[in-house]
Amino acid sequence: GQLPVEYMRGKPLCMELYPLLFSSCRIPGPKHDYVAHYGNSRRSPTHITVVRNYQFFQLEVYNSDGSRMTESQIHSQLHRIRSQSWKTDKEPMGILTSEHRHTWGEAYNRLLRDKLNQESVRMIETGLFSLCLDSPVMRISDEKYASRKAAQILHGGGTYSNSGNRWFDKTLQFVVGEDGSWGLLYEQATAEGPPIANLLHHILEYCDKPDPKRAPLVPLPMPKKLYFHIDRDIKRDIEQAKQNLDILINDLDVHVFNFKKFGKELPKEHNMSPNSFIQVAVQLSYYRVHNEVCPACDIASQRMFRRGRTEYIRSPTNQALKFILAFDDLTVSREAKLELLREAVDAYSELTAQALRGHGIDRHLLGLKLQAIEEGRSIPKIFMDTAYGLATHWKLRTGQVPTNTDSVMCFGPLVPDGYAVCYNPQADHVHFAVTAFNCCEDTNAETMARTLKETLCDLQELLQPTV
């Protein structure tokens, strides 16, 4: 409760998400999951879990008198964990959490029948967060390295790599590789991008000005290794999960790039919202690749309301369509294109303002649909309508995570034949992460990324023509 209140467009934002980031975990249930928060209990957890070579350790980060451990104390404890966790034939328990929720729910119940497993799982779930110490990412080429790193943080790179070093239900997992790559993975049922980005900013600021307190000369207890009792059924569950995860990972195409020609200052100079400008660029890129516009959504924060989470902004507008159809038409003048671009950008900015004020439609409609299901009523006809099905088959899921940190954020597409485009605009460059699934012959993350680069350059040329 000590963080200063954040503001957006002059309005205060709800800060209740922040305490929920720590000591929380998604718990699989037989029919649906729930999120458990252990941070506000009478005895709040004082440990984190550290995973290395698929082995989990409980590391206390507070001393018995309630004071925080110093950096050097934590450092020496991490060394002890490292020396205790050399490669073994340990079963990668964490891979179970990557399974289909229903399958994992059943495996979870089998796992918890054993008291030892119950205690170990409980330690992971209640920990402040997890720290995953990964083996290095294979460096194939410098240009592919950024994409490989992003994929590595997201899913661990496969069962032969670091995927066993994750507990995917945990709200916060910090990943640090032996090659110096690092990032954090978060579970979206609990939190959105902006609070996570602020947490990241806080960490990086701290790293610039570390706290060099001397460690008290008290011997520390050995970090506690968490053991699991694995019977035949659980062994089978793990093998099944390994196969399924590798299929999923091989299917996900991740393409990360840093667009360096310009950043958010360019649209600002022309009195355009940088986010709206990039949104129009993404839609034009999709049209250039697929020769059609598609259902697309951007994510707006609802934190102007108490406990507000997110709402979709429906990106395609009539103004955007007019601009897209005119842009590659040689018979349309530059002035006319500029005017259409401005109208498309302004229309999008107006939609964003409406969504931020709680005037979006998608969460309200979802609420009504779920209420009908919960109360056993027949589902309203609109939800059965083909048009509604088409309009919510989001082939383009986008998201701006504006941060003070020069970081890349990425997530996967919402539908099998779709893309996800996440971006972080800085003053003179923009980080992009484009993802698609390989199983779909029509989509290709690299083609989309290349077209997006070309489109941004064409828009720059429209705004600032080179003579």
Side-chain angles (χ1 to χ4, degrees), residues 257 259 278 281-283 285 289 421 432 434 447-457:
F257 68 96
F259 181 78
I278 293 172
V282 171
Q283 290 197 63
S285 306
V289 176
V421 181
F432 283 98
V434 181
T447 307
M448 183 67 175
R450 192 176 59 246
T451 310
L452 183 53
K453 282 181 214 172
E454 289 162 7
T455 301
L456 288 165
C457 293

Side-chain angles (χ1 to χ4, degrees), residues 23 38-41 43-47 60 62 126-128:
S23 295
Y38 302 97
N40 47 12
S41 56
R43 290 192 52 207
S44 294
T46 53
H47 70 281
E60 290 293 331
Y62 286 84
T126 57
L128 290 158

Side-chain angles (χ1 to χ4, degrees), residues 376-405:
R377 297 166 182 250
S378 58
I379 290 178
K381 281 203 179 76
I382 179 173
F383 300 114
M384 300 305 173
D385 196 289
T386 322
Y388 183 79
L390 272 172
T392 49
H393 186 81
W394 306 109
K395 286 190 180 182
L396 199 50
R397 175 203 190 184
T398 64
Q400 169 185 252
V401 181
T403 70
N404 304 331
T405 62

Side-chain angles (χ1 to χ4, degrees), residues 16 74 80 93 104 142 163 207 240 273 338 380 384 392 459:
E16 288 185 25
I74 292 173
R80 293 168 104 177
M93 294 303 297
W104 166 221
D142 281 0
S163 294
C207 292
Q240 192 66 50
S273 141
L338 253 178
M384 300 305 173
T392 49
L459 290 177

Side-chain angles (χ1 to χ4, degrees), residues 143 146-148 150-151 254-258 408-410 431-434:
E143 93 178 297
S147 302
R148 287 296 298 264
V254 180
H255 193 86
V256 168
F257 68 96
N258 184 359
V408 181
M409 308 260 170
C410 71
H431 288 289
F432 283 98
V434 181

Side-chain angles (χ1 to χ4, degrees), residues 123-181:
M123 275 304 145
I124 296 168
E125 289 173 349
T126 57
L128 290 158
F129 54 82
S130 290
L131 169 63
C132 316
L133 301 178
D134 279 11
S135 52
V137 185
M138 271 173 53
R139 194 169 195 137
I140 301 173
S141 67
D142 281 0
E143 93 178 297
K144 288 246 164 69
Y145 186 59
S147 302
R148 287 296 298 264
K149 250 191 326 192
Q152 172 75 19
I153 304 292
L154 191 61
H155 51 55
T159 56
Y160 291 102
S161 190
N162 291 297
S163 294
N165 276 3
R166 305 281 184 275
W167 193 268
F168 290 107
D169 290 0
K170 195 73 190 140
T171 302
L172 279 183
Q173 300 188 85
F174 293 90
V175 181
V176 180
E178 275 178 39
D179 53 357
S181 60

Side-chain angles (χ1 to χ4, degrees), residues 41-53:
S41 56
R42 213 160 36 105
R43 290 192 52 207
S44 294
T46 53
H47 70 281
I48 65 170
T49 42
V50 181
V51 209
R52 182 168 184 261
N53 287 336

Side-chain angles (χ1 to χ4, degrees), residues 3-8 13-19 21-22 172 174 182 184 186 191-207 301 303 400-407 409 424 426:
L3 287 181
V5 172
E6 288 161 25
Y7 284 81
M8 183 196 267
L13 298 181
C14 173
M15 299 295 282
E16 288 185 25
L17 263 180
Y18 282 97
L21 297 179
F22 301 96
L172 279 183
F174 293 90
W182 73 282
L184 80 90
Y186 78 95
E192 274 76 64
I196 301 282
N198 288 336
L199 171 68
L200 199 59
H201 181 54
H202 171 78
I203 293 166
L204 290 172
E205 274 197 325
Y206 181 91
C207 292
S301 169
R303 284 173 60 212
Q400 169 185 252
V401 181
T403 70
N404 304 331
T405 62
D406 227 351
S407 51
M409 308 260 170
N424 174 7
Q426 300 289 309

